[in-house]
Amino acid sequence: MTISRKSRDDIKYMKMAGNIVALCHKKMKEIVEPGILTIELDNECNKIIKEHKAIPTFLGYNGFPFSICVSINDEVVHGFPSKTRKLNEGDIVSIDIGATYHGFVGDSAWTYPVGNVSDDCKILLETTEKALFAGIAQMKEDNTLDDVGRAIENVAKSKNLGIVRNYGGHGVGRKMHEDPFVYNYSTGNKIKLKKGMTIAIEPMLNLGCDDVFTKDDNWTVATIDAKPSAHFEHTVCVTDGEPILLTRFDESLI
Ligand code: MG
Ligand code: MG
Protein backbone atom coordinates (compact mmCIF):
# COMPACT_ATOMS: atom_id res chain seq x y z
CA MET A 1 0.00 0.00 0.00
CA THR A 2 1.35 3.41 -0.95
CA ILE A 3 0.04 6.31 1.04
CA SER A 4 0.97 9.55 -0.66
CA ARG A 5 2.20 12.52 1.37
CA LYS A 6 1.33 15.93 0.03
CA SER A 7 3.63 18.91 -0.43
CA ARG A 8 2.85 22.37 0.87
CA ASP A 9 1.58 23.39 -2.59
CA ASP A 10 -0.61 20.30 -2.86
CA ILE A 11 -2.17 21.15 0.51
CA LYS A 12 -2.83 24.69 -0.69
CA TYR A 13 -4.89 23.37 -3.60
CA MET A 14 -6.63 20.81 -1.41
CA LYS A 15 -7.64 23.62 0.95
CA MET A 16 -9.11 25.50 -2.00
CA ALA A 17 -11.00 22.38 -3.15
CA GLY A 18 -12.14 21.75 0.42
CA ASN A 19 -13.32 25.30 0.85
CA ILE A 20 -15.50 25.08 -2.25
CA VAL A 21 -17.08 21.94 -0.78
CA ALA A 22 -17.56 23.81 2.52
CA LEU A 23 -19.27 26.65 0.66
CA CYS A 24 -21.68 24.13 -0.86
CA HIS A 25 -22.45 22.76 2.59
CA LYS A 26 -23.08 26.29 3.89
CA LYS A 27 -25.67 26.65 1.13
CA MET A 28 -27.18 23.23 1.86
CA LYS A 29 -27.62 24.18 5.52
CA GLU A 30 -29.56 27.26 4.40
CA ILE A 31 -31.85 25.62 1.86
CA VAL A 32 -32.55 22.16 3.29
CA GLU A 33 -36.20 22.37 4.36
CA PRO A 34 -39.44 20.47 3.92
CA GLY A 35 -40.68 20.64 0.32
CA ILE A 36 -37.39 21.23 -1.51
CA LEU A 37 -36.74 18.92 -4.46
CA THR A 38 -33.52 16.99 -4.04
CA ILE A 39 -32.42 17.91 -7.59
CA GLU A 40 -32.37 21.55 -6.45
CA LEU A 41 -29.66 20.65 -3.94
CA ASP A 42 -27.64 19.12 -6.78
CA ASN A 43 -28.19 22.15 -9.03
CA GLU A 44 -27.00 24.56 -6.32
CA CYS A 45 -23.83 22.60 -5.60
CA ASN A 46 -23.04 22.15 -9.28
CA LYS A 47 -23.38 25.92 -9.75
CA ILE A 48 -21.21 26.84 -6.75
CA ILE A 49 -18.49 24.36 -7.71
CA LYS A 50 -18.34 25.62 -11.30
CA GLU A 51 -18.46 29.30 -10.26
CA HIS A 52 -15.28 28.65 -8.28
CA LYS A 53 -13.52 27.09 -11.27
CA ALA A 54 -13.69 23.60 -9.87
CA ILE A 55 -15.17 20.33 -11.15
CA PRO A 56 -17.89 18.32 -9.40
CA THR A 57 -15.79 15.26 -8.58
CA PHE A 58 -18.69 12.82 -8.30
CA LEU A 59 -20.26 13.62 -11.68
CA GLY A 60 -19.31 10.71 -13.93
CA TYR A 61 -17.18 9.00 -11.23
CA ASN A 62 -17.56 5.30 -12.07
CA GLY A 63 -20.62 6.47 -14.00
CA PHE A 64 -22.32 8.28 -11.09
CA PRO A 65 -24.89 10.51 -12.82
CA PHE A 66 -25.08 13.53 -10.45
CA SER A 67 -22.85 16.17 -8.83
CA ILE A 68 -23.70 15.20 -5.24
CA CYS A 69 -25.09 12.22 -3.33
CA VAL A 70 -28.38 12.74 -1.49
CA SER A 71 -29.30 9.91 0.87
CA ILE A 72 -32.51 10.18 2.88
CA ASN A 73 -33.38 8.42 6.19
CA ASP A 74 -32.51 4.71 5.81
CA GLU A 75 -30.26 5.49 2.85
CA VAL A 76 -26.64 5.54 3.95
CA VAL A 77 -24.62 6.84 0.99
CA HIS A 78 -24.64 7.23 -2.82
CA GLY A 79 -28.32 8.22 -3.13
CA PHE A 80 -29.49 10.03 -6.27
CA PRO A 81 -30.88 13.55 -6.30
CA SER A 82 -34.23 13.54 -8.12
CA LYS A 83 -36.58 15.85 -10.01
CA THR A 84 -39.56 14.31 -8.25
CA ARG A 85 -38.35 13.47 -4.75
CA LYS A 86 -38.82 16.12 -2.09
CA LEU A 87 -37.55 16.38 1.45
CA ASN A 88 -40.27 15.98 4.08
CA GLU A 89 -40.61 17.29 7.61
CA GLY A 90 -38.87 14.88 9.98
CA ASP A 91 -36.48 13.42 7.38
CA ILE A 92 -32.75 13.36 7.83
CA VAL A 93 -30.72 13.89 4.66
CA SER A 94 -27.06 13.02 4.11
CA ILE A 95 -25.42 15.17 1.48
CA ASP A 96 -22.00 14.14 0.21
CA ILE A 97 -20.08 16.64 -1.93
CA GLY A 98 -16.77 16.51 -3.80
CA ALA A 99 -14.94 19.22 -5.73
CA THR A 100 -11.74 18.99 -7.74
CA TYR A 101 -9.67 22.17 -7.89
CA HIS A 102 -6.39 22.38 -9.79
CA GLY A 103 -6.30 18.58 -9.86
CA PHE A 104 -6.95 18.07 -6.14
CA VAL A 105 -10.06 16.76 -4.43
CA GLY A 106 -12.00 17.88 -1.35
CA ASP A 107 -14.63 15.43 -0.03
CA SER A 108 -17.09 16.13 2.77
CA ALA A 109 -20.51 14.88 3.86
CA TRP A 110 -23.02 16.11 6.41
CA THR A 111 -26.40 14.88 7.60
CA TYR A 112 -29.01 17.59 8.02
CA PRO A 113 -32.31 17.44 9.91
CA VAL A 114 -35.31 18.48 7.79
CA GLY A 115 -37.54 20.55 10.07
CA ASN A 116 -38.17 18.82 13.38
CA VAL A 117 -36.78 15.31 13.66
CA SER A 118 -37.32 12.58 16.25
CA ASP A 119 -35.26 12.45 19.43
CA ASP A 120 -33.65 9.25 18.16
CA CYS A 121 -32.56 11.00 14.98
CA LYS A 122 -31.18 13.91 17.01
CA ILE A 123 -29.05 11.46 18.99
CA LEU A 124 -27.96 9.74 15.75
CA LEU A 125 -26.83 13.04 14.20
CA GLU A 126 -25.10 14.32 17.34
CA THR A 127 -23.32 11.03 17.90
CA THR A 128 -22.15 10.57 14.32
CA GLU A 129 -20.77 14.11 14.26
CA LYS A 130 -19.07 13.46 17.60
CA ALA A 131 -17.62 10.22 16.19
CA LEU A 132 -16.20 12.15 13.23
CA PHE A 133 -14.40 14.58 15.52
CA ALA A 134 -13.22 11.79 17.82
CA GLY A 135 -11.65 10.13 14.75
CA ILE A 136 -10.12 13.41 13.59
CA ALA A 137 -8.63 14.00 17.07
CA GLN A 138 -6.57 10.84 16.53
CA MET A 139 -5.12 12.12 13.23
CA LYS A 140 -1.71 12.79 14.69
CA GLU A 141 1.71 11.87 13.42
CA ASP A 142 2.71 8.35 14.54
CA ASN A 143 -0.79 7.42 15.67
CA THR A 144 -2.14 4.40 13.79
CA LEU A 145 -5.19 3.98 11.58
CA ASP A 146 -6.47 1.70 14.32
CA ASP A 147 -6.47 4.64 16.76
CA VAL A 148 -8.85 6.46 14.39
CA GLY A 149 -11.18 3.49 13.90
CA ARG A 150 -11.28 2.67 17.61
CA ALA A 151 -12.12 6.27 18.57
CA ILE A 152 -15.06 6.26 16.14
CA GLU A 153 -16.23 2.84 17.31
CA ASN A 154 -16.15 3.88 20.98
CA VAL A 155 -18.40 6.88 20.32
CA ALA A 156 -20.82 4.74 18.26
CA LYS A 157 -20.96 2.08 20.98
CA SER A 158 -21.62 4.69 23.69
CA LYS A 159 -25.09 5.18 22.12
CA ASN A 160 -25.56 1.63 20.84
CA LEU A 161 -25.48 2.66 17.20
CA GLY A 162 -24.77 0.35 14.29
CA ILE A 163 -21.52 0.92 12.37
CA VAL A 164 -21.52 0.48 8.60
CA ARG A 165 -18.78 -2.05 7.90
CA ASN A 166 -18.48 -2.13 4.11
CA TYR A 167 -17.77 1.57 3.61
CA GLY A 168 -15.34 3.90 5.31
CA GLY A 169 -12.78 6.66 5.03
CA HIS A 170 -9.98 6.82 2.49
CA GLY A 171 -6.89 8.64 1.37
CA VAL A 172 -7.73 11.58 -0.89
CA GLY A 173 -5.64 13.83 -3.10
CA ARG A 174 -5.27 13.81 -6.86
CA LYS A 175 -7.86 11.04 -6.80
CA MET A 176 -10.97 10.91 -4.64
CA HIS A 177 -10.16 7.42 -3.42
CA GLU A 178 -6.55 6.70 -2.57
CA ASP A 179 -4.93 4.37 -0.05
CA PRO A 180 -5.46 3.75 2.80
CA PHE A 181 -9.00 2.51 3.47
CA VAL A 182 -10.07 3.64 6.95
CA TYR A 183 -12.45 1.38 8.84
CA ASN A 184 -14.84 3.03 11.28
CA TYR A 185 -14.02 0.43 13.91
CA SER A 186 -10.95 -1.21 15.37
CA THR A 187 -9.23 -3.70 13.07
CA GLY A 188 -5.76 -3.69 14.60
CA ASN A 189 -4.36 -1.75 11.62
CA LYS A 190 -0.90 -0.61 12.68
CA ILE A 191 -0.21 1.65 9.69
CA LYS A 192 1.15 4.91 11.04
CA LEU A 193 -0.07 8.36 10.14
CA LYS A 194 2.60 10.71 8.84
CA LYS A 195 2.77 14.44 8.21
CA GLY A 196 1.33 15.34 4.80
CA MET A 197 -1.10 12.42 4.57
CA THR A 198 -4.56 13.60 3.53
CA ILE A 199 -7.42 11.34 4.51
CA ALA A 200 -11.21 11.58 4.46
CA ILE A 201 -12.64 10.44 7.80
CA GLU A 202 -16.29 9.48 7.41
CA PRO A 203 -18.25 7.53 10.01
CA MET A 204 -21.60 6.14 8.84
CA LEU A 205 -23.69 5.16 11.86
CA ASN A 206 -27.14 3.56 12.04
CA LEU A 207 -29.99 3.67 14.54
CA GLY A 208 -30.36 -0.06 14.00
CA CYS A 209 -28.00 -2.85 12.94
CA ASP A 210 -24.72 -2.56 10.99
CA ASP A 211 -25.91 -4.18 7.79
CA VAL A 212 -26.61 -2.46 4.50
CA PHE A 213 -27.53 -3.41 0.94
CA THR A 214 -27.41 -1.73 -2.48
CA LYS A 215 -30.73 -0.82 -4.08
CA ASP A 216 -31.79 -1.71 -7.64
CA ASP A 217 -30.33 1.53 -9.05
CA ASN A 218 -26.93 -0.13 -8.30
CA TRP A 219 -25.80 2.91 -6.28
CA THR A 220 -27.99 3.75 -3.31
CA VAL A 221 -26.81 1.99 -0.15
CA ALA A 222 -29.48 1.56 2.54
CA THR A 223 -29.83 -0.17 5.90
CA ILE A 224 -31.37 -3.65 5.77
CA ASP A 225 -33.65 -2.92 8.74
CA ALA A 226 -34.84 0.38 7.17
CA LYS A 227 -33.70 2.37 10.23
CA PRO A 228 -32.12 5.82 9.73
CA SER A 229 -28.42 6.30 9.02
CA ALA A 230 -26.15 9.34 9.33
CA HIS A 231 -22.89 10.25 7.59
CA PHE A 232 -20.40 12.96 8.56
CA GLU A 233 -17.14 13.45 6.68
CA HIS A 234 -14.19 15.84 6.55
CA THR A 235 -11.01 15.70 4.49
CA VAL A 236 -8.15 16.04 6.96
CA CYS A 237 -4.39 16.63 6.68
CA VAL A 238 -2.00 15.11 9.22
CA THR A 239 0.66 17.51 10.51
CA ASP A 240 3.23 17.27 13.30
CA GLY A 241 0.73 19.17 15.44
CA GLU A 242 -3.04 19.48 15.22
CA PRO A 243 -4.70 18.03 12.10
CA ILE A 244 -5.93 20.51 9.47
CA LEU A 245 -9.57 20.25 8.41
CA LEU A 246 -9.29 20.87 4.68
CA THR A 247 -13.06 20.91 4.15
CA ARG A 248 -13.85 23.39 6.94
CA PHE A 249 -15.08 26.77 5.68
CA ASP A 250 -12.35 29.43 5.61
CA GLU A 251 -13.57 32.86 4.59
CA SER A 252 -10.05 34.03 3.77
CA LEU A 253 -9.86 31.57 0.86
CA ILE A 254 -12.89 32.95 -1.02
MG1 MG B 1 -15.26 10.10 1.06
MG1 MG C 1 -17.74 11.96 0.53
Side-chain angles (χ1 to χ4, degrees):
M1 185 191 300
T2 321
I3 305 174
S4 70
R5 295 170 68 176
K6 275 64 173 187
S7 69
R8 196 180 287 255
D9 276 348
D10 295 346
I11 302 293
K12 201 171 72 186
Y13 291 126
M14 288 192 72
K15 266 189 188 160
M16 295 296 288
N19 205 47
I20 295 163
V21 172
L23 259 182
C24 291
H25 274 297
K26 240 171 109 70
K27 186 72 183 179
M28 296 298 100
K29 199 177 173 191
E30 275 170 40
I31 67 172
V32 161
E33 59 177 11
I36 192 165
L37 282 170
T38 52
I39 196 69
E40 294 177 55
L41 306 173
D42 188 278
N43 291 342
E44 284 293 339
C45 290
N46 183 287
K47 196 173 97 190
I48 293 168
I49 291 168
K50 287 182 176 167
E51 274 172 3
H52 289 83
K53 305 199 179 346
I55 298 164
T57 313
F58 299 176
L59 187 61
Y61 186 87
N62 291 336
F64 188 79
F66 296 96
S67 295
I68 62 172
C69 302
V70 177
S71 309
I72 302 172
N73 296 332
D74 60 310
E75 295 170 353
V76 180
V77 287
H78 306 163
F80 287 177
S82 147
K83 286 177 186 159
T84 53
R85 194 175 185 198
K86 289 179 175 175
L87 298 180
N88 294 311
E89 176 83 26
D91 285 344
I92 57 169
V93 59
S94 300
I95 303 177
D96 198 350
I97 306 171
T100 306
Y101 181 84
H102 217 277
F104 288 93
V105 176
D107 182 13
S108 169
W110 217 254
T111 303
Y112 300 93
V114 183
N116 281 317
V117 302
S118 69
D119 288 346
D120 278 352
C121 279
K122 281 181 192 157
I123 290 169
L124 174 67
L125 266 51
E126 278 167 21
T127 310
T128 312
E129 185 177 350
K130 194 172 159 196
L132 167 65
F133 285 99
I136 290 171
Q138 295 299 319
M139 297 281 289
K140 291 182 178 162
E141 189 155 62
D142 292 329
N143 272 6
T144 64
L145 285 176
D146 195 52
D147 293 325
V148 177
R150 194 177 335 101
I152 291 169
E153 181 175 18
N154 285 342
V155 174
K157 281 187 169 167
S158 73
K159 298 287 177 189
N160 252 334
L161 297 177
I163 302 171
V164 175
R165 305 271 152 175
N166 332 35
Y167 298 87
H170 50 90
V172 53
R174 286 193 179 274
K175 289 196 212 143
M176 178 158 61
H177 293 123
E178 298 183 347
D179 284 335
F181 185 80
V182 184
Y183 291 92
N184 288 314
Y185 53 95
S186 177
T187 58
N189 190 333
K190 295 296 177 209
I191 290 174
K192 283 191 175 175
L193 295 165
K194 293 289 172 192
K195 185 179 169 182
M197 287 182 180
T198 47
I199 296 177
I201 302 297
E202 49 180 315
M204 290 152 240
L205 304 184
N206 304 337
L207 267 183
C209 71
D210 299 345
D211 300 329
V212 299
F213 73 104
T214 304
K215 292 189 176 179
D216 289 341
D217 62 15
N218 286 323
W219 277 101
T220 311
V221 176
T223 56
I224 60 160
D225 57 10
K227 296 215 172 140
S229 182
H231 179 206
F232 287 76
E233 174 185 32
H234 267 308
T235 299
V236 182
C237 179
V238 180
T239 73
D240 45 16
E242 290 302 307
I244 304 169
L245 270 63
L246 299 169
T247 41
R248 176 137 76 184
F249 181 62
D250 179 349
E251 200 157 8
S252 71
L253 294 178
I254 296 298

